[in-house]
């Protein structure tokens, strides 16, 4: 993404993090001295303490992600710092990974890949039998842009779509999916669950010991949104008890570490937060994050503000 860095340097007097170094709070604060804005990534933890210590010159945090769980937007607001994100441009790429998680978990891709690499397999009529998607009910938790795109692709695979959202969508956006006002109601019909909602105070550990019990026995749980939404111990316990048949995960609490309990399960299809990882999408995200800064410095506002 050299071209995006070039653009940033052309438009602003920019300090680049060319080696993608994970800055300590101290280094981040040092580097922000004299800056009017910060283009942050989801690995930059801009919590309340860090935001309170930022120099007064910083007026905008332009996050290079659609999610902004790495930023305390309330603390930013109190300090009169605008926070922006990069919606829409990563919908398709993230939905592709959402579908890959469903396919990988249902069709036992982790076990298949391992066996193929080790040549330790023999075709037989009942070898590595997985779950077929055709006719299977897909529960989408969070029917925003990414959830709707996953629903559209899943429908073309013959899945039957159900969703839970804060509010019911209009028929156009719903596209034949069945709305569930209550999360428990959605879970009770989710042969496969796709977690697509943003991480927030309300959604932390929404998938937990109690809510998992509402799933049909042998359900598949996938998460393309944020690790914070899932209580890992509860999900691993559900895998151990075979209440949950398989999981497909791209995001984790405390990334890049993940709960080692998942590694014990062959039925865990796990990826390293690849949701938006295509050249087209990352370029579009970087351009949008730069444009958000430009818009703010020109107008004092930004259409992609989140606080
Ligand atoms: C986002 O933008 O929130 C994605 O998770 C980044 O891959």
């Amino acid at each position: 993404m050299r071209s995006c860095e070039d653009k940033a340097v052309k438009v602003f007097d920019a300090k680049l993090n060319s080696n993608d170094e994970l800055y300590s709070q101290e280094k981040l604060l040092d580097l922000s001295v004299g800056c009017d804005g910060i283009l942050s990534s989801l690995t930059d933890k801009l919590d309340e303490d860090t935001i309170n210590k930022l120099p007064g010159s910083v007026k905008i945090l332009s996050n290079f992600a659609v999610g902004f769980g790495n930023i305390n937007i309330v603390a930013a607001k109190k300090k009169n710092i605008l926070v922006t994100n990069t919606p829409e441009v990563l919908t398709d790429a993230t939905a592709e990974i959402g579908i890959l998680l469903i396919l990988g978990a249902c069709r036992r891709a982790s076990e298949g890949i391992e066996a193929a690499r080790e040549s330790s397999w023999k075709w037989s009529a009942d070898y590595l039998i997985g779950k077929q998607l055709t006719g299977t009910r897909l529960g989408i938790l969070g029917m925003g842009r990414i959830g709707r795109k996953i629903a559209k692709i899943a429908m073309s695979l013959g899945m039957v779509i159900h969703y839970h959202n804060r509010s019911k969508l209009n028929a156009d956006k719903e596209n034949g999916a069945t709305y569930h006002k209550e999360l428990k109601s959605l879970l009770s019909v989710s042969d496969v669950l796709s977690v697509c909602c943003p991480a927030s105070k309300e959604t932390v550990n929404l998938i937990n010991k109690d809510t998992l019990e509402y799933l049909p026995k042998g359900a598949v749980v996938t998460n393309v949104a944020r690790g914070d939404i899932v209580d890992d111990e509860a999900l691993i316990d559900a895998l151990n008890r075979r209440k949950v048949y398989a999981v497909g995960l791209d995001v984790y609490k405390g990334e890049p570490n993940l709960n080692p309990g998942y590694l014990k399960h062959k039925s865990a299809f796990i990826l390293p937060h690849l949701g938006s990882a295509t050249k087209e999408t990352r370029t579009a995200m970087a351009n949008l994050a730069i444009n958000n800064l430009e818009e703010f410095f020109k107008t004092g506002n930004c259409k992609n503000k989140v606080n």
Side-chain angles (χ1 to χ4, degrees), residues 17-31:
N17 179 1
S18 301
N19 301 325
D20 282 338
E21 188 185 334
L22 190 59
Y23 293 142
S24 62
Q25 186 200 53
E26 194 188 354
K27 183 144 187 197
L28 193 143
L29 291 173
D30 275 357
L31 284 167

Side-chain angles (χ1 to χ4, degrees), residues 59-62 76 80-84 296 300-302 305 307:
K59 292 287 171 239
I60 175 168
L61 302 174
S62 170
N80 209 15
I81 297 175
L82 196 84
V83 179
T84 62
F296 172 73
N301 211 338
C302 180
K305 71 177 171 192
N307 70 341

Side-chain angles (χ1 to χ4, degrees), residues 42 65-67 90 226 273 276 282 285:
L42 52 85
V66 68
L90 45 67
R226 284 292 182 267
H273 204 146
S276 60
R282 288 281 163 83
M285 288 165 70

